[in-house]
Amino acid sequence: MPAPVLPMELIPSEQNISPSAEQFDHKATMPPNITGARRVINLAQSQLRGLMREREAIIKRITVLRQTIAGLVEIFGPDGVSEEHLDLVKPPRRHRGNSLTQICRSVLAKSSEPLTAHELVEGIRAADVTLIQRQKNPIASVSSILGRLASYGEVRSAVAGSGRRQWVRTKTDGNGRLCRGQSASEL
């Protein structure tokens, strides 16, 4: 479908733009007949909705095809399928290097004592200064990660005698479950 063309009365000209320095009056610059612009907007919105529906249908179809190929490979084996086709089914994961979450886990695991968020930031800074420099508010970022790790059961917190919250990595079995003999209240 060809792109719609704006009517001439919608294109700014000397007749509908005032060069004076007076207060801007948006009605003075609008053409008297705005139905053409509304028509163009409605047409563009309609095309956009149609394209969004098409994209959704294409994504669903891609998902079905990937699942079909994966199922056939599971049943018959990968013998007749090239690496390129296997990558289409399950694209290789890209390793992004150390993340802030990974460094938090590492620093907590190496620590023999519970750490405050501030102490953890200092430990991260010692391990990888560039990673912490990218954070606008390192303490807030680390606190957010600690909260998420606590919800996974990977860390525990308690309020120390100083009134500050301290964090320690829990001993888990790899599935986020506490190892035998460790209670949830241990720090």
Side-chain angles (χ1 to χ4, degrees):
M1 178 181 258
V5 178
L6 287 175
M8 289 303 291
E9 65 265 12
L10 297 179
I11 298 173
S13 67
E14 284 141 16
Q15 288 94 11
N16 62 10
I17 296 180
S18 172
S20 68
E22 297 174 15
Q23 186 174 356
F24 179 73
D25 181 9
H26 72 281
K27 290 182 181 177
T29 61
M30 290 178 62
N33 181 1
I34 196 156
T35 58
R38 287 193 178 126
R39 220 180 3 215
V40 171
I41 291 169
N42 290 338
L43 179 64
Q45 287 175 333
S46 173
Q47 288 178 353
L48 181 60
R49 280 191 295 271
L51 289 171
M52 298 293 278
R53 281 191 302 272
E54 285 179 37
R55 182 179 79 170
E56 190 175 313
I58 289 170
I59 289 171
K60 284 180 182 178
R61 184 70 180 138
I62 288 171
T63 301
V64 167
L65 290 172
R66 281 185 172 165
Q67 290 171 344
T68 302
I69 294 170
L72 291 171
V73 168
E74 185 74 26
I75 293 169
F76 298 108
D79 292 341
V81 183
S82 70
E83 281 296 316
E84 177 186 356
H85 289 111
L86 286 175
D87 287 345
L88 288 174
V89 174
K90 193 172 191 179
R93 298 191 116 215
R94 294 182 181 94
H95 183 65
R96 296 186 334 197
N98 285 338
S99 70
L100 189 55
T101 301
Q102 290 170 328
I103 296 286
C104 282
R105 286 179 177 129
S106 173
V107 170
L108 281 171
K110 291 176 185 173
S111 176
S112 59
E113 297 178 7
L115 300 174
T116 63
H118 182 73
E119 292 167 336
L120 187 55
V121 167
E122 292 307 314
I124 293 167
R125 191 171 276 127
D128 187 352
V129 72
T130 58
L131 189 61
I132 205 70
Q133 283 177 335
R134 286 185 246 156
Q135 305 302 316
K136 189 174 186 178
N137 186 340
I139 301 280
S141 299
V142 167
S143 296
S144 176
I145 290 169
L146 289 168
R148 187 168 35 85
L149 292 176
S151 74
Y152 299 161
E154 293 184 35
V155 298
R156 299 270 180 230
S157 71
V159 179
S162 64
R164 294 184 134 182
R165 183 169 299 281
Q166 293 183 323
W167 301 86
V168 65
R169 183 148 171 124
T170 57
K171 295 177 181 106
T172 59
D173 64 0
N175 293 321
R177 293 184 296 247
L178 291 174
C179 290
R180 291 180 194 213
Q182 184 179 11
S183 71
S185 61
E186 278 183 46
L187 250 186

